[in-house]
């Protein structure tokens, strides 16, 4: 029996798919190469923007033909989308050939749900799930050298545009000993890079009986033998402490990169977004980070067209982008999410204006990214080789400590290893290099 998982969304979802994969393999299922040969197809969905939801609905509609050809095929939908009651209602009514709807906190129940739907031939829905952390779920890692380790689930921040706290629930931290045990096992299994995951890693530990801060956790992870690189995502500017900057500076395994979403450069918009920091505070953080770690790469997320965003607000964002010089940025048009405060705000922005602002923002950021990459020409970067390059199967690709994508010629035997690569041809989205001794 074979299964296929289709994943949308952020790194959290990609990691959740690794857990779903672990559960399926524990049941004896093997990964399928194609949808045609699958006995179970699982869609792990995202609802952060409307576009993501639209793609999932399109995919579910396409999969109807597979169900018609193979009535034994089980179609399951999970992830953030199904945590919204109106989505469950829509799928149950309009897409009744979906067999299982399960919440991400119920992944341990998947074997039981598959069994029920096979026996009854009826759809099953299991969305609720408690906030207790299941420490015994199997994980099938997609990469042999770099692993994702969740440190917090959920989010308490309620940024006014964001659906995540409603679908992922309140923030719950894993105990440091459980995290450390997992990382020690990963190190024993040969993993060399650890990526700590949470919607706001900087607020890690506040909810624990014996509180532990994120910088304290980072220092403990830094002491695990065998691990050579540590990354973390995502950092919220309001919780980024001086203590964290010092821990990043001191811990030699912590990579010189931080993803620090700014969202907007206008104080008026930041306040309406409920982000709880100002542009001045954000810029001060950038100075402190660069002061402590001079070669640090800084990346960000930016939303344009938030309700009430004036041309002046947008120009404040452009000006901040030029002043900070991010290494790269994920840029989004604001997308109205049902149930969030921003969706109810009166002054929604026209799509044409959003598109125009997005294009102008991308032009400015792309030029900065290109110029920053150009400065790397001739430098030697330590690269963790992740696999064969997506754009050219004759090349390898991997990431520098500053998270730059680097392609180069080399033997597939190097996959999973650290190599030194000289940058010979920088581009905007990647760097071309050659291995040096
Ligand atoms: N927790 C992280 C943080 O606070 O930065 C990221 C969570 S979210 C999955 C990733 C990014 O999606 C956010 O940083 C934001 O820029 C964007 N995003 C979230 N809601 C959005 C919305 N309604 N419209 C457009 N972009 C949105
Ligand atoms: Fe969403 Fe804000 Fe939480 Fe990030 S911090 S997940 S943007 S509510």
């Amino acid at each position: 029996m074979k299964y296929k998982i289709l994943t949308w969304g952020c790194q959290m979802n990609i990691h959740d798919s690794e857990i779903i994969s672990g559960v399926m393999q524990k049941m004896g299922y093997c990964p399928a190469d194609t949808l045609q040969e699958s006995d179970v197809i699982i869609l792990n969905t995202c609802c952060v923007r409307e576009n993501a939801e639209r793609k999932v609905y399109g995919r579910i509609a396409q999969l109807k033909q597979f169900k018609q050809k193979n009535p034994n095929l089980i179609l399951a939908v999970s992830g953030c989308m199904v945590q919204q009651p109106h989505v469950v209602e829509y799928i149950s009514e309009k897409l009744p050939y979906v067999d299982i709807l399960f919440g991400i906190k119920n992944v341990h129940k998947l074997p039981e749900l598959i069994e029920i739907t096979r026996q009854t031939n009826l759809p099953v829905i299991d969305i609720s799930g408690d906030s207790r952390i299941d420490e015994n779920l199997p994980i099938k890692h997609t990469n042999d050298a770099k692993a994702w380790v969740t440190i917090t689930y959920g989010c308490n921040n309620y940024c006014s545009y964001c659906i995540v706290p409603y679908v992922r629930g309140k923030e719950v931290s894993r105990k440091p000993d459980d995290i450390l045990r997992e990382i020690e096992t990963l190190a024993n299994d040969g993993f060399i890079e650890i990526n700590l995951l949470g919607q706001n890693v900087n607020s890690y530990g506040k909810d624990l009986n014996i509180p532990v801060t994120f910088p304290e956790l980072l220092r403990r992870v830094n002491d695990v033998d065998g691990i050579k690189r540590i990354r973390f995502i995502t950092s919220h500017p309001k919780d980024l402490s001086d203590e964290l900057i010092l821990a990043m500076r001191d811990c030699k395994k912590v990579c010189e990169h931080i993803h620090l979403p700014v969202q907007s450069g206008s104080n008026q918009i930041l306040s309406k977004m409920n982000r709880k920091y100002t542009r001045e505070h954000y810029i001060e953080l950038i100075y402190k980070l660069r002061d402590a770690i001079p070669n640090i790469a800084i990346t960000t997320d930016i939303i344009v067209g938030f309700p009430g965003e004036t041309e002046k607000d947008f120009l404040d964002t452009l000006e901040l982008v030029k002043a900070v010089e991010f290494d790269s940025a994920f840029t989004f048009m604001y997308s109205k999410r049902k149930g969030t405060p921003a969706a109810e705000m009166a002054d929604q922005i026209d799509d044409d204006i959003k598109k125009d602002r997005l294009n102008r923002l991308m032009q400015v950021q792309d030029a900065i990214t290109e110029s920053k990459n150009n400065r790397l020409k001739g430098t030697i970067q330590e690269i963790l080789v992740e696999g064969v390059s997506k754009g050219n199967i004759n090349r390898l690709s991997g990431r520098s400590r500053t998270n730059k994508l680097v392609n180069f010629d080399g033997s597939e035997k190097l996959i999973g290893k650290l190599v030194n690569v000289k940058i010979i041809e920088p581009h905007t989205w990647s760097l071309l290099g050659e291995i040096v001794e």
Side-chain angles (χ1 to χ4, degrees):
M1 299 283 264
K2 293 188 171 174
Y3 72 95
K4 184 114 190 125
I5 305 175
L6 306 176
T7 309
W8 288 264
C10 65
Q11 200 50 55
M12 286 276 176
N13 275 23
I14 296 171
H15 185 53
D16 285 339
S17 288
E18 294 185 328
I19 298 173
I20 300 173
S21 218
V23 170
M24 294 301 290
Q25 295 197 16
K26 202 170 169 198
M27 282 172 75
Y29 281 79
C30 302
D33 289 328
T34 62
L35 290 169
Q36 280 85 346
E37 64 175 27
S38 307
D39 300 284
V40 178
I41 300 176
I42 300 156
L43 291 84
N44 187 9
T45 63
C46 167
C47 61
V48 165
R49 282 167 292 275
E50 193 185 354
N51 211 5
E53 279 196 355
R54 222 180 282 130
K55 284 186 193 154
V56 172
Y57 282 133
R59 203 56 195 260
I60 299 176
Q62 273 175 2
L63 292 172
K64 188 175 181 183
Q65 49 163 323
F66 292 93
K67 278 289 285 185
Q68 283 163 341
K69 280 187 205 139
N70 172 13
N72 290 328
L73 168 69
I74 289 186
L75 209 55
V77 183
S78 181
C80 294
M81 256 174 93
V82 302
Q83 300 297 143
Q84 304 173 96
H86 69 274
V87 170
V88 173
E89 210 172 290
Y90 182 85
I91 295 181
S92 307
E93 273 175 28
K94 305 275 192 238
L95 308 163
Y97 50 91
V98 171
D99 301 289
I100 303 175
L101 290 176
F102 70 102
I104 208 62
K105 287 177 185 160
N106 301 348
V107 61
H108 60 287
K109 286 197 186 159
L110 193 52
E112 187 187 324
L113 300 177
I114 293 177
E115 193 51 36
I116 295 173
T117 192
R118 279 213 196 283
Q119 285 191 1
T120 60
N121 222 1
L122 290 169
V124 282
I125 301 177
D126 200 340
I127 305 298
S128 58
D130 61 39
S131 54
R132 262 177 309 166
I133 298 171
D134 190 340
E135 286 293 343
N136 298 312
L137 289 171
I139 303 173
K140 181 71 195 89
H141 294 279
T142 38
N143 186 292
D144 292 339
K146 99 180 198 187
W148 301 91
V149 175
T150 304
I151 63 166
T152 61
Y153 297 91
C155 181
N156 290 347
N157 290 321
Y158 291 94
C159 300
S160 62
Y161 50 81
C162 185
I163 193 76
V164 170
Y166 305 90
V167 295
R168 289 271 174 180
K170 69 172 179 17
E171 186 179 284
V172 183
S173 304
R174 284 178 72 195
K175 292 196 188 92
D177 288 350
D178 290 333
I179 296 170
L180 266 299
R181 203 171 307 120
E182 180 177 348
I183 294 173
E184 278 156 15
T185 308
L186 288 165
N188 286 336
D189 290 345
F191 286 87
I192 55 177
E193 184 180 297
I194 295 298
N195 291 256
L196 304 172
L197 269 184
Q199 292 296 351
N200 175 7
V201 289
N202 302 153
S203 64
Y204 168 80
K206 288 183 182 157
D207 57 317
L208 293 169
N209 286 340
I210 307 169
V212 176
T213 66
F214 180 58
E216 282 164 0
L217 179 75
L218 214 48
R219 287 181 191 272
R220 287 182 66 182
V221 177
N222 193 60
D223 288 340
V224 176
D225 283 341
I227 298 302
K228 300 214 163 66
R229 284 177 167 198
I230 304 165
R231 300 183 188 279
F232 52 88
I233 194 165
T234 299
S235 287
H236 195 306
K238 80 176 165 65
D239 294 314
L240 199 159
S241 61
D242 291 349
E243 194 195 347
L244 174 62
I245 297 175
L246 291 181
M248 289 178 72
R249 186 199 63 186
D250 296 347
C251 296
K252 294 300 162 227
K253 295 176 185 174
V254 173
C255 290
E256 295 79 16
H257 170 228
I258 190 162
H259 186 65
L260 192 62
V262 66
Q263 312 298 2
S264 170
S266 151
N267 282 338
Q268 196 241 141
I269 296 299
L270 286 172
S271 162
K272 284 180 81 178
M273 285 177 162
N274 193 29
R275 289 290 288 180
K276 299 197 173 82
Y277 55 85
T278 59
R279 68 178 273 142
E280 291 75 21
H281 178 72
Y282 187 90
I283 291 172
E284 197 188 323
L285 289 176
I286 302 295
Y287 278 122
K288 283 185 184 174
L289 283 160
R290 289 197 170 133
D291 204 30
I293 309 150
N295 60 338
I296 191 168
I298 300 174
T299 56
T300 199
D301 292 348
I302 300 171
I303 298 175
V304 297
F306 183 83
E309 186 190 67
T310 61
E311 177 66 13
K312 161 84 176 55
D313 293 319
F314 173 67
L315 291 177
D316 282 349
T317 300
L318 273 190
E319 200 190 282
L320 178 133
V321 165
K322 287 179 193 161
V324 172
E325 295 202 309
F326 293 107
D327 287 76
S328 66
F330 293 109
T331 50
F332 309 106
M333 285 192 285
Y334 166 71
S335 169
K336 212 171 164 177
R337 301 288 65 208
K338 199 174 170 174
T340 61
E344 305 302 321
M345 291 180 186
D347 33 10
Q348 301 285 328
I349 305 290
D350 285 350
D351 272 0
D352 287 350
I353 297 180
K354 286 186 199 168
K355 275 183 203 148
D356 174 63
R357 289 182 184 164
L358 185 72
N359 284 336
R360 285 155 67 199
L361 173 61
M362 281 166 40
Q363 259 181 25
V364 169
Q365 181 54 50
D366 290 356
I368 296 169
T369 303
E370 196 180 329
S371 128
K372 289 209 122 184
N373 285 352
N374 280 339
R375 286 178 228 163
L376 295 175
K377 190 170 178 177
T379 62
I380 293 176
Q381 303 285 328
E382 180 203 85
I383 306 297
L384 172 59
V385 189
E386 293 188 5
V388 171
S389 161
K390 283 194 182 122
N392 180 345
I393 54 160
N394 298 317
R395 283 202 177 121
L396 298 175
S397 101
R399 298 248 167 205
S400 67
R401 285 179 62 95
T402 50
N403 211 33
K404 308 267 178 189
L405 182 65
V406 181
N407 298 314
F408 48 93
D409 290 342
S411 150
E412 285 190 27
K413 283 187 199 142
L414 295 173
I415 293 174
K417 304 228 159 44
L418 290 170
V419 295
N420 285 327
V421 172
K422 183 173 179 183
I423 305 303
I424 49 174
E425 206 182 296
H427 302 282
T428 311
W429 310 119
S430 64
L431 307 164
L432 186 64
E434 62 190 13
I435 295 185
V436 290
E437 282 306 310

